[in-house]
Every structure is written in C-alpha cells, then in structure tokens.
Amino acid sequence: MARISAGVATSHVPLLGRIIDINQTDSDEWRPVFSGYDFTRRWIAEQKPDVVILVYNDHATAFDMKIIPTFAIGCGPEFQPADEGFGARPVPTVQGAPDLASHIAQSVIQQDFDLTIVNEMDVDHGLTVPLSLMFGQPQAWPCKVIPLAVNVVLYPGPSGQRCLNLGRAIRQAVESFDADLNVQIWGTGGLSHQLLGERAGLINQQWDLAFMDKLKDDYAQLASIPQSEYIRESGTEGCEMVMWLVMRGALNARVEEIHRHYHVPVSNTALGHLVYENRD
Amino acid sequence: MSSQQPYQDIPGTTVFDSSQARKGYHLNQFCMSLMKAQNRQAFKADEAGYLAHWPMSDEQRQAVLDRDYTRMIALGGNIYYLVKISATDGLSVAAAVSSMTDMSSEEYLQMMKNGGRPVTGNRYIQEKK
C-alpha cells in the first residue's frame, strides 16, 4: 500500500524562485537563506519520494475572482508553470499523479470534505518555489506532484482545525491506495508577513518560532487559532500558516523533527522550514 | 465591531473579505488580464484606453493610473492581483508594498533587514493612539 513517510514545511516567497533562476543562491546576500535547505536537498535525494502532495495557495493565478475554491486538488497529468506577470519561471513542467489524486479526491469527499477537482490549471510560485528549494534546477522534477490548493486570499479561509482534519483524511486516503508508493506531504506558505497597508512589513519572530515549536506535538492548540488572530499577530498573509496544519494532520501523531531553518527577512517575509519524519 | 469582521480594530490593515471583494471585482479582473504578455503591451501602450474597456469606477481607474496602491486596496483591490501591475512596471513586490507605508522603498527594505516591523504597538488601533 502507499504510505506517507515524511512531511516538509516551507515558505514559498516568489523572490526565492527568482534568485534560483538567476543562479544567485551562493551570493553573500543569499547564502544564509539557501544554506538552510542544504540538509533537505541531501535528505530528499536519499528519500526519493514517488509522489509529493503539495499544499499551497494559488495567488490569483489559476483561480481569479470568477471561481474561488476553498480546497482544490489537481487531478490532471501535468501542470504548467504560470506566467504571473513577468513571464513563466524557467522550470520543468510539473507531472501530476492522476490515479492517486483521483483516489484521494474520491476518498476525501466520502470523508465529508468537498474538494474541488481541477484537471487543468497552471501552477504559480506557491507550488514551484518549494520544488526548486528542495530539488534545485533539474531537467525534470524527480517525482510526481499532486497540487492541493487552499484559499487563503479571500477571507475567510478554512479554519486550522479544518486543515488539520483534511490532512488526516488525506492520510487515510493514501493508506488505502493499492500501490507501493513513498508519498510525502508538503505544507507551504508563511511565516509572518503583511503585504499591504501602513502595517506592511510586519514580522513576529516570537509567534513564528512558537508556531514551529508547537506544530510537532501541540498542533491541536494551533488548530484552534482563528484567522483574525493570525492576521493580528502575524500579518494579513501570515494566515498561510494553516497550510502547515494540513501537512501535520497527514502525519502520524508521533513525528521527529529532523531539520529546521528560520530566517528574516526574505523580501517582505519571515522564512520558515521544517522537516518531519513519521515515527510509529 | 461586527462579529463578522473581528479584524476591524487592527491598525493599518485592510482584510480582503467579501465586501472588499465585491467592490474590487472588476479592478482585480483587470489585473488578471496582465498575466498575458500581449495585454501587458497593450496596457503599457495606452493605459487609459486599456482601462476604459473594464467596467471599473473612475476612482479605480485613476488609482491605477496614479499607481496609488493604498487607494487601490481601499477600492477593493487585493495585493496578489495588484502586484500584476507592479510586475508590468518591472517593479519588485517590495517596491509596491513599501509605497503603502510612510517610508521610502530604501527605508522599508532596511526595516526588513533589521527584523521587520514589530508587532508590539501594532495589534490594536487603540495602541497606536
């Protein structure tokens, strides 16, 4: 049967993709940011996941004001990197995993989560930047990817508890898929940042580090935080952190944190990164 | 404060909720059109003419022409849509974002390098007074 072996959390700041694309990750300015992924790049090369379920948010790319799904799963065979206003990133086409994705959709819908099924969409920096951070600049991505888009742009997004429960439902779905697959789940976005208004540039390191501490064992407490508190404490865009709870919910109650990285700032944002391995 | 809007007392912050989204529908959809290279060219060649094709308010059109991001946010724009305008202008997200603060772009970037804007004193409007 398929199994989820590990979870990865990371910010998905668009500027990181740009710095990778212009080969500046080793510069004095950027080395401290990217060196925090050296461990993970070595680790993931050994882990060789067959499929990554990549939880991210679409930033007015595939979904505009016409259609705004709260949760959407990409079931198509491939997804093109989007032109977000300055040309598409020069990264490989993302290969989907239609069989597993469709199985997850069916299973999760039958567990009372009304996922939107998307067969064709372009994917933006929310999805491609994490791939670049973990895999660098390959000719083709070394695994299949199931995009799972969460609305955190139009208020309200789903609650932390709903995200945690969705993760649990995804785990059940994966474990009932009849194929020997090593699956990882990634939660992306955050940490504290606010991209608008006089309060733009807000960073709350204490909040971010407490969130990273609690995610391992005290995630039930994190799941009770309302979106308005994320906004107040970690900025309007800080609420992206609920996507880390989808990842946490899909893992075992017991996990080991094998890597952590935190850096302020990347552009307007506090960058956070964690790697969890499942333990029995 | 409406129980539906428990974020109304956060200073310097506009939450993109359903009322803002309704107000900004066409402004945001105009921004979406800038995802295509040919539309970016058409917009740059004749900004007012391009904007005239969108059923936006005159106030919204003027805010776009003025690149007044504070005004665009107030009129229902969402930052992820609006940065398609700054991308068309060849500007960084930070440049567009910093224009909404009382700092220059350089001062803003320096603040970020120093650890960002502190949350202390910035949680509640009452604290700011």
Side-chain angles (χ1 to χ4, degrees), chain A residues 19-203:
Chain A
I19 299 302
I20 293 169
D21 296 342
I22 61 172
N23 300 307
Q24 292 293 309
T25 58
D26 275 327
S27 67
D28 290 345
E29 185 184 358
W30 289 103
R31 193 67 211 136
V33 174
F34 288 94
S35 62
Y37 292 86
D38 290 348
F39 168 88
T40 315
R41 287 221 292 277
R42 289 192 303 271
W43 169 82
I44 209 159
E46 291 164 12
Q47 295 288 314
K48 296 188 177 60
D50 300 300
V51 182
V52 167
I53 300 167
L54 207 158
V55 185
Y56 73 112
N57 64 294
D58 179 87
H59 304 76
T61 302
F63 307 119
D64 60 13
M65 295 303 295
K66 284 183 197 156
I67 299 175
I68 305 170
T70 298
F71 294 118
I73 186 167
C75 294
E78 59 178 38
F79 307 94
Q80 297 297 333
D83 178 349
E84 297 178 55
F86 36 82
R89 290 191 60 209
V91 294
T93 298
V94 175
Q95 301 299 323
D99 290 347
L100 178 57
S102 302
H103 169 83
I104 291 172
Q106 176 173 325
S107 167
V108 164
I109 289 167
Q110 288 178 331
Q111 295 177 67
D112 295 335
F113 281 91
D114 307 316
L115 290 195
T116 298
I117 292 161
V118 184
N119 290 309
E120 291 183 35
M121 66 173 169
D122 290 350
V123 288
D124 70 17
H125 68 268
L127 186 132
T128 63
V129 165
L131 288 173
S132 298
L133 289 169
M134 304 316 152
F135 296 126
Q137 296 170 289
Q139 287 299 305
W141 299 120
C143 62
K144 314 258 190 207
V145 176
I146 298 176
L148 200 138
V150 179
N151 166 47
V152 289
V153 174
L154 174 65
Y155 182 93
S159 70
Q161 187 63 52
R162 187 81 177 144
C163 288
L164 190 70
N165 292 351
L166 175 63
R168 289 172 172 151
I170 288 171
R171 175 181 162 195
Q172 197 168 319
V174 170
E175 289 175 350
S176 64
F177 187 66
D178 191 13
D180 182 23
L181 294 175
N182 177 12
V183 179
Q184 289 187 357
I185 182 152
W186 298 2
T188 74
L191 292 172
S192 55
H193 62 307
Q194 172 153 337
L195 301 180
L196 62 89
E198 290 165 13
R199 209 173 72 131
L202 189 95
I203 299 286

Side-chain angles (χ1 to χ4, degrees), chain A residues 128-271:
Chain A
T128 63
V129 165
L131 288 173
S132 298
L133 289 169
M134 304 316 152
F135 296 126
Q137 296 170 289
Q139 287 299 305
W141 299 120
C143 62
K144 314 258 190 207
V145 176
I146 298 176
L148 200 138
V150 179
N151 166 47
V152 289
V153 174
L154 174 65
Y155 182 93
S159 70
Q161 187 63 52
R162 187 81 177 144
C163 288
L164 190 70
N165 292 351
L166 175 63
R168 289 172 172 151
I170 288 171
R171 175 181 162 195
Q172 197 168 319
V174 170
E175 289 175 350
S176 64
F177 187 66
D178 191 13
D180 182 23
L181 294 175
N182 177 12
V183 179
Q184 289 187 357
I185 182 152
W186 298 2
T188 74
L191 292 172
S192 55
H193 62 307
Q194 172 153 337
L195 301 180
L196 62 89
E198 290 165 13
R199 209 173 72 131
L202 189 95
I203 299 286
N204 188 343
Q205 297 206 21
Q206 211 183 340
W207 167 280
D208 290 341
L209 295 172
F211 185 90
M212 291 173 85
D213 285 342
K214 287 176 182 171
L215 190 66
K216 180 169 171 283
D217 295 317
D218 298 336
Y219 47 85
Q221 190 209 324
L222 294 180
S224 69
I225 298 172
Q227 189 174 355
S228 56
E229 193 177 334
Y230 280 102
I231 296 169
R232 192 184 307 281
E233 293 290 334
S234 68
T236 39
E237 282 68 43
C239 62
E240 289 178 359
M241 278 179 247
V242 293
M243 294 184 288
W244 290 32
L245 286 166
V246 180
M247 177 275 279
R248 185 64 190 90
L251 298 177
N252 293 353
R254 231 185 112 225
V255 295
E256 185 180 347
E257 180 183 316
I258 60 165
H259 182 61
R260 179 190 288 216
H261 177 46
Y262 183 75
H263 184 91
V264 176
V266 176
S267 185
N268 307 278
T269 305
L271 174 140

Side-chain angles (χ1 to χ4, degrees), chain B residues 110-128:
Chain B
Q110 193 55 51
M111 174 185 77
M112 295 314 298
K113 286 204 175 95
N114 295 341
R117 186 183 303 281
V119 72
T120 306
N122 280 311
R123 290 184 174 95
Y124 295 92
I125 288 170
Q126 304 87 284
E127 288 183 302
K128 296 289 278 185

